[in-house]
Amino acid sequence: MSLFINDKSYMNILHINYNDLVGGRFTGYYMQQSVDKSYNVKMAVWNKSSQSSHVHLIPPSNPILRFIADKTMRFSSRLGFDGLIGTGGWILPTYDFFKKADIIHLHLIHGFSNFSILSLPKLSRLKPIVWTLHDPWAMTGGCEHSFECDRWLTGCSPRCPHPRCTSLFQHSAPYLHWRIKKKVYQHANLTLVVASQWMQDRISRSPLLHHLPCHYIPFGIDLDLFKPKSKTECRKKLGIPSNNKVIAFRDSGLKTDKFKGLRWLLEALMIYEPKEPTTLLIFEDGKGFNDLSLKYNVILKGWVDGEDLVDGLSAADVFLMPSIQESFGLMAVEAMACGTPVIVFEGTALPSVIKAPHGGIAVPTKDSPALAKAIKLLLEDNELRKKL
């Protein structure tokens, strides 16, 4: 579809998200560089890290406005009503970049994002809205992931048995959230996009969202960037001994982790007894794995992106992503594109994303011995590793 504006054929797309750079590979930031001249891409975010003139702060960098918005978000979070009281959605129509947009693309608008879903009916009357759901928050009483709880299917009972955070109304807020969302979605014209069949299945069962059009569009990656590189050269660049096997994974913070299965990953690495010298290549945090330094050569890379990430993924023999809740798992796809097989837990979107058992291995969730066994199998069976 193309729109004809001022005798030119192009479309103005405005992405709405919490961040620009963090998660930018799937929330619109890098689309600014990669799309052709048929599209004019801009972003509106609460937290801006880049210097791009195409990314706009909502509200702008006015100290007073930012202070008020920050206090409002902290107050709503304290009550357990984050996602309901933000001002970002209400003030969007006043900005020129919104007025010029042909389509609005929502991404992560919950959490500490200064966006209220109460503004969706108004916004959808002004512009066509596509909402890519990166997690199940939109269909629950406020949980990003519901784990074993299925009360999102029946309205989140008046007293939540599994409050997601400590807030003043932590047990009753989910009940109110769910009903407010139901009202909002009934009056908002939204088109949904999900990246996995796992998420599409949940949308089809959701009493809140099943009536809305939903499209299954897996996230794509840049294959000019994410492709296999020489393991020898990448390991030399990263300071990894040439005789080592390499296990790579992302540590988003062991102590605070709820979704990524880091506790079981740590246990599996403690169980596994390497037959050869082995390096742990850890992206992002890594502090919680320092105790393994007597058993493994531990390299902490911190936050990496672009070519640095490709070097790390190409250097690895195996990439671990044992999430216990995951709606897609982009790093797993990036690892596979770099020629590195992936090990995941069952019960999330990841087994279908990596095409297990053809593109990687899926083991029972929260089963550290099974994870350790899969690590042993891949590191010691060179032919199987190459095949995957």
Side-chain angles (χ1 to χ4, degrees):
M1 180 175 69
S2 62
L3 300 177
F4 292 89
I5 304 171
N6 297 326
D7 298 324
K8 294 180 180 179
S9 177
Y10 65 90
M11 178 181 285
N12 291 313
I13 302 171
L14 177 64
H15 293 278
I16 311 294
N17 193 39
Y18 170 66
N19 288 303
D20 53 352
L21 284 179
V22 178
R25 298 196 302 282
F26 54 84
T27 57
Y29 179 77
Y30 289 108
M31 242 178 248
Q32 298 174 69
Q33 291 86 23
S34 61
V35 297
D36 62 33
K37 299 299 182 183
S38 301
Y39 302 94
N40 180 24
V41 181
K42 295 185 182 297
M43 291 189 80
V45 300
W46 163 256
N47 184 39
K48 180 180 178 179
S49 304
S50 73
Q51 300 299 316
S52 173
S53 61
H54 294 283
V55 179
H56 303 275
L57 275 173
I58 298 292
S61 52
N62 179 304
I64 296 176
L65 291 177
R66 300 288 292 181
F67 176 81
I68 294 172
D70 182 75
K71 292 301 180 185
T72 299
M73 288 189 293
R74 292 184 187 280
F75 175 69
S76 63
S77 181
R78 196 175 269 264
L79 294 177
F81 297 135
D82 37 327
L84 301 179
I85 307 179
T87 59
W90 297 110
I91 63 176
L92 262 176
T94 66
Y95 292 99
D96 191 52
F97 55 80
F98 179 89
K99 295 173 183 176
K100 290 181 178 179
D102 299 309
I103 190 165
I104 308 300
H105 192 166
L106 305 177
H107 292 278
L108 291 167
I109 59 171
H110 58 278
F112 209 64
S113 69
N114 189 38
F115 190 99
S116 169
I117 60 165
L118 297 176
S119 64
L120 288 178
K122 176 185 176 181
L123 294 176
S124 68
R125 287 194 296 270
L126 298 173
K127 302 284 182 179
I129 293 184
V130 172
W131 188 2
T132 292
L133 301 182
H134 295 269
D135 58 49
W137 178 86
M139 65 189 90
T140 72
C143 302
E144 288 183 24
H145 292 282
S146 59
F147 295 90
E148 289 78 19
C149 179
D150 61 2
R151 298 187 185 210
W152 58 277
L153 292 167
T154 56
C156 289
S157 62
R159 182 171 176 80
C160 175
H162 310 291
R164 61 195 171 88
C165 60
T166 55
S167 63
L168 189 59
F169 302 111
Q170 60 181 328
H171 291 287
S172 56
Y175 177 79
L176 295 172
H177 258 277
W178 198 94
R179 277 145 188 81
I180 290 171
K181 285 176 178 175
K182 188 174 181 66
K183 281 283 187 185
V184 167
Y185 299 154
Q186 287 172 346
H187 295 92
N189 184 14
L190 306 169
T191 296
L192 307 179
V193 172
V194 293
S196 66
Q197 294 172 331
W198 183 85
M199 277 289 287
Q200 189 176 44
D201 172 66
R202 275 160 172 70
I203 296 292
S204 68
R205 293 189 288 139
S206 167
L208 302 182
L209 297 175
H210 71 87
H211 67 288
L212 295 172
C214 179
H215 301 274
Y216 164 46
I217 308 174
F219 293 128
I221 60 174
D222 183 357
L223 292 178
D224 289 329
L225 175 63
F226 289 96
K227 58 187 176 182
K229 297 175 71 173
S230 165
K231 284 197 184 302
T232 301
E233 290 301 316
C234 289
R235 291 179 181 185
K236 185 177 179 181
K237 188 184 296 187
L238 292 166
I240 300 173
S242 59
N243 66 335
N244 275 214
K245 289 292 174 64
V246 181
I247 301 170
F249 58 91
R250 176 193 172 203
D251 171 21
S252 54
L254 182 62
K255 290 183 178 179
T256 58
D257 176 53
K258 296 179 181 178
F259 308 129
K260 300 301 181 181
L262 296 176
R263 166 190 155 190
W264 293 278
L265 191 157
L266 176 61
E267 290 177 357
L269 292 174
M270 293 172 68
I271 293 170
Y272 175 59
E273 294 297 335
K275 284 189 175 181
E276 303 173 67
T278 302
T279 289
L280 301 183
L281 184 60
I282 308 176
F283 304 117
E284 205 166 333
D285 192 318
K287 298 183 184 70
F289 292 83
N290 282 335
D291 289 346
L292 295 176
S293 58
L294 295 177
K295 187 175 184 179
Y296 302 93
N297 174 38
V298 179
I299 296 180
L300 307 183
K301 285 300 297 175
W303 174 260
V304 294
D305 206 347
E307 288 288 351
D308 291 334
L309 178 58
V310 175
D311 288 343
L313 294 175
S314 295
D317 290 298
V318 62
F319 184 75
L320 306 182
M321 198 168 182
S323 302
I324 57 173
Q325 297 286 295
E326 192 73 63
S327 305
F328 185 73
L330 191 66
M331 282 195 76
V333 180
E334 291 166 343
M336 293 167 69
C338 293
T340 302
V342 184
I343 302 175
V344 303
F345 277 154
E346 295 170 350
T348 74
L350 280 166
S352 63
V353 167
I354 69 167
K355 304 291 190 290
H358 306 294
I361 296 177
V363 301
T365 188
K366 301 181 183 180
D367 191 334
S368 302
L371 182 56
K373 185 177 180 180
I375 294 170
K376 175 181 172 66
L377 174 65
L378 276 189
L379 289 189
E380 296 179 10
D381 191 332
N382 295 334
E383 289 305 312
L384 175 61
R385 202 168 62 249
K386 289 177 183 177
K387 179 181 177 182
L388 293 180

